[in-house]
């Protein structure tokens, strides 16, 4: 075994649950966003796995996923150890999922430090990402609950923010003064100007035991059912309150710090974002498709040939589930499409 | 038998051959344009059949089609008599097809008058159409080769023109001075202004015997192989020269007259034209699809849901053969798509 500096080797927990409507028609219940190759090369979950391998060997990488995605995860990640796939009996938001995974890791290796990572984001600079996680892991070994915070480059209204106690510096943890819910545009602008706010990217590093203790204190309605589920008590899981980990623990805990992440993070929140990624990747366009006089138009296809003539600046998605043609400025409105389809 | 005024009952020959690339991806070899419901209700061939029924009973309506379309024709037209389907062993342009059908009709009923009609056009006013055909049939009984000519409403460059010996009047045949190939824009404007030109719509009425005699004289390389084919001589058909009926006969014959057709004719030459038809039909949009903030956008679908958000003025075609998104002004360029796909 490798030496454990200040105790606690790093384990990585990948959160493979979650669903959404923003990637209709390509995403569906059995194939949510993290299973899509939104950058044009490989599914986001697989890219996240590779990134995790930069942090830890496969034996210390875990995936937590709801039952209906378990087969998909196994198929996509052949290197994942069977015993490292933690199955949620049903999706109950992030607090129960993270509690379950943390408890499983703690039982495997008491004193372990875990990095909790979403699997539906893109991080372009893996080296800087690994360096930030290392800083975060050090702080976690010192007993902190650590967030990774993304430095805002625009007044986004779609993310929660972390207010830092001081202007955050790369490579250093700084205390989090408070968690701020998604702001309106004006507040987001002030946050951006102040330089003291980071985006909450949903990435956390902590000692599993520290987190579980905090959860037991702050959110026993999550902690107890999860513990009972792990003790084999049938039906316990479904009694865990559906809560986000932010709400259940992070907003209330003390000793919460944040390490800035300046590594080209992108949550790929819409087809427009996916189109930017695809363009950025600079690969040759899919030779199945034909684009004529359609600059700024990006095609995501699953099988059929797509031709676009004289229609610039749109995203076209061809999928078994349907066909989407959406102006790049309008890709937030895909939700409205799904709402109308559901209403039928 | 009904009385035959001046001899020669009217038979109708529907030309169901022809293929094209303008309706990619919906059209394909086994399902060319005439099989598509471009107006949103029923295939053009079926609409043409109904129109023909206004002119003659089913026993006097014939369809000539190449072998690979025969099953499709039978499936679409259950009222077509089995013996009235004239199968071309292979497509060899309009002169051989029309020669074959005319000869078959003449054998069935010597002295018959035939109206030759394409099946991939739309004619909105069936009463006026029927009236024009009746005028044409009268002229045909008198020995003329009769065209139906469409009064131009714009300086189209995609059609051939007929120069009339005098300004054409509705309800009357007028001599054709000459056939003019597709003109450039400037000539088309002059034609339109002069009022003495009609579009050549590819619709003809004549005594079958008169046409066959003319063909024997003007284009023996078409007439003889077709006659031999009808006499059961194997391989004869493929020796018929591929020629259009205009080129083989009409441009050279004497006694050619034209009857103006003012009946809302439309050759539905592009997806944009089909979109206009669809809008004109005023039917409710297909409830499978979702259009948000996309005025002037029309969807032609075969099965999957199509959603368009914030993309006005385009035609979207969803088909097994592919997906097309084309600006309505650009639908002529679908040919370029097909060219590029064929080049692969």
């Amino acid at each position: 075994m490798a030496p454990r500096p200040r105790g606690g080797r790093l384990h990585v927990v990948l959160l493979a649950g979650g669903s959404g409507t923003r990637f209709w028609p390509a995403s569906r219940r059995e194939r949510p966003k993290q299973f899509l190759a939104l950058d044009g090369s490989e599914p986001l979950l697989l890219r996240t796995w590779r990134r995790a391998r930069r942090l830890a060997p496969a034996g210390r990488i875990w995936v937590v996923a709801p039952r209906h995605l378990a087969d998909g995860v196994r198929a996509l990640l052949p290197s994942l150890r069977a015993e490292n796939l933690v199955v949620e009996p049903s999706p109950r938001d992030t607090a129960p999922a993270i509690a379950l995974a943390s408890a499983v890791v703690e039982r495997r290796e008491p004193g372990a430090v875990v990095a909790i990572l979403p699997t539906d984001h893109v991080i372009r600079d893996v080296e800087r990402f690994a360096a930030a996680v290392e800083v975060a892991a050090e702080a976690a070994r010192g007993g902190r609950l650590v967030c990774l915070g993304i430095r805002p480059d625009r007044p986004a209204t779609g993310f929660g923010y972390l207010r830092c106690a001081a202007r955050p510096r790369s490579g250093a943890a700084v205390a989090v003064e408070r968690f701020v819910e998604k702001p309106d545009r004006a507040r987001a602008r002030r946050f951006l100007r102040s330089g003291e706010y980071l985006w909450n990217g949903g990435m956390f590093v902590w000692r599993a035991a520290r987190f579980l203790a905090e959860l037991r204190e702050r959110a026993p309605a999550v902690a107890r059912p999860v513990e009972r589920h792990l003790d084999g008590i049938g039906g316990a899981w479904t009694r865990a309150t559906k809560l986000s980990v932010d709400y259940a623990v992070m907003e209330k805990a003390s000793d919460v710090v944040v390490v800035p992440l300046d590594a080209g993070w992108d949550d790929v929140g819409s087809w427009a974002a996916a189109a930017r990624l695809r363009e950025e990747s600079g690969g040759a366009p899919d030779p199945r498709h034909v684009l004529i006089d359609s600059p700024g138009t990006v095609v995501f296809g699953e099988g059929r040939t797509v031709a676009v003539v004289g229609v610039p600046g749109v995203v076209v998605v061809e999928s078994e589930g349907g066909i989407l043609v959406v102006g790049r400025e309008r890709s937030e409105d895909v939700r409205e499409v799904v709402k109308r389809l559901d209403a039928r």
Side-chain angles (χ1 to χ4, degrees), chain A:
Chain A
M1 281 231 267
R4 303 188 197 173
R6 299 175 58 188
R9 292 195 302 179
L10 183 68
H11 288 241
V12 181
V13 170
L14 305 182
L15 301 174
S19 64
T21 58
R22 291 179 296 179
F23 287 93
W24 184 90
S27 64
R28 43 183 179 262
R29 200 179 111 83
E30 289 72 24
R31 195 180 63 177
K33 178 183 165 195
Q34 58 272 25
F35 287 84
L36 305 179
L38 292 178
D39 65 345
S41 62
E42 56 187 20
L44 299 177
L45 173 57
L46 181 54
R47 277 188 71 165
T48 307
W49 171 269
R50 292 192 209 289
R51 216 153 50 226
R53 286 288 288 104
R54 179 70 187 67
L55 305 174
R60 281 191 267 134
I61 304 179
W62 304 73
V63 175
V64 52
R67 192 175 302 287
H68 69 275
L69 296 179
D71 285 345
V73 168
R74 286 187 200 101
L76 195 60
L77 304 178
S79 308
L80 171 66
R81 305 278 160 89
E83 65 275 20
N84 282 18
L85 175 60
V86 180
V87 175
E88 304 163 80
S90 62
R92 301 198 70 75
D93 212 333
T94 53
I98 292 173
L100 180 62
S102 297
V104 171
V105 173
E106 177 66 16
R107 286 181 184 197
R108 164 88 61 87
E109 184 171 309
V113 168
V114 291
I116 312 286
L117 303 174
T119 56
D120 61 348
H121 297 168
V122 157
I123 290 172
R124 295 176 179 82
D125 188 333
V126 179
E127 292 310 309
R128 297 183 84 167
F129 166 73
V133 173
E134 197 36 60
V135 171
E138 272 306 299
R141 286 180 193 110
R144 311 278 193 247
L145 296 172
V146 191
C147 308
L148 294 181
I150 294 100
R151 215 178 286 274
D153 58 6
R154 61 186 191 279
T157 58
F159 304 130
Y161 284 70
L162 307 171
R163 176 169 170 96
C164 305
R167 191 173 273 264
R169 291 183 300 109
S170 285
V174 57
V176 173
E177 221 169 69
R178 63 187 156 85
F179 280 68
V180 186
E181 303 264 326
K182 296 174 185 177
D184 61 19
R185 183 68 60 179
R187 288 186 78 204
R189 285 213 191 85
R190 283 204 303 278
F191 293 172
L192 182 64
R193 268 199 308 273
S194 82
E196 290 177 349
Y197 289 78
L198 298 171
W199 289 335
N200 179 359
M203 291 170 276
F204 307 102
V205 187
W206 49 53
R207 275 181 190 277
R210 165 78 213 277
F211 171 76
L212 291 166
E214 199 76 37
L215 186 76
R216 244 171 264 128
E217 188 184 333
R218 310 284 179 185
V222 173
R224 263 186 230 140
V226 170
E227 278 163 14
R228 284 192 188 124
H229 168 72
L230 269 173
D231 291 339
I233 295 171
W237 177 261
T238 55
R239 282 194 290 279
T241 307
K242 284 188 179 183
L243 283 179
S244 76
V245 72
D246 294 339
Y247 192 84
V249 174
M250 302 305 284
E251 296 181 1
K252 303 163 184 167
S254 50
D255 283 337
V256 175
V257 300
V258 60
V259 172
L261 178 65
D262 299 293
W265 175 89
D266 191 329
D267 82 322
V268 201
S270 68
W271 281 118
R276 279 195 302 275
L277 269 187
R278 181 72 62 98
E279 288 171 335
E280 188 184 288
S281 77
D286 189 324
R288 269 178 317 180
H289 306 313
V290 177
L291 276 80
I292 298 175
D293 295 341
S294 302
T297 285
V298 177
V299 174
F300 294 86
E302 282 179 22
R304 295 186 187 175
T305 293
V306 176
V308 186
V309 182
V311 185
V314 304
V315 174
V316 181
V317 185
E318 179 273 323
S319 161
E320 237 178 78
I323 312 296
L324 173 68
V325 183
V326 58
R328 284 177 71 156
E329 313 296 303
R330 297 297 301 274
S331 63
E332 299 293 333
D333 297 311
V334 172
R335 281 204 177 91
E336 177 63 24
V337 171
V338 175
K339 210 185 288 173
R340 293 200 193 178
L341 290 172
D342 286 347
R344 286 177 191 169

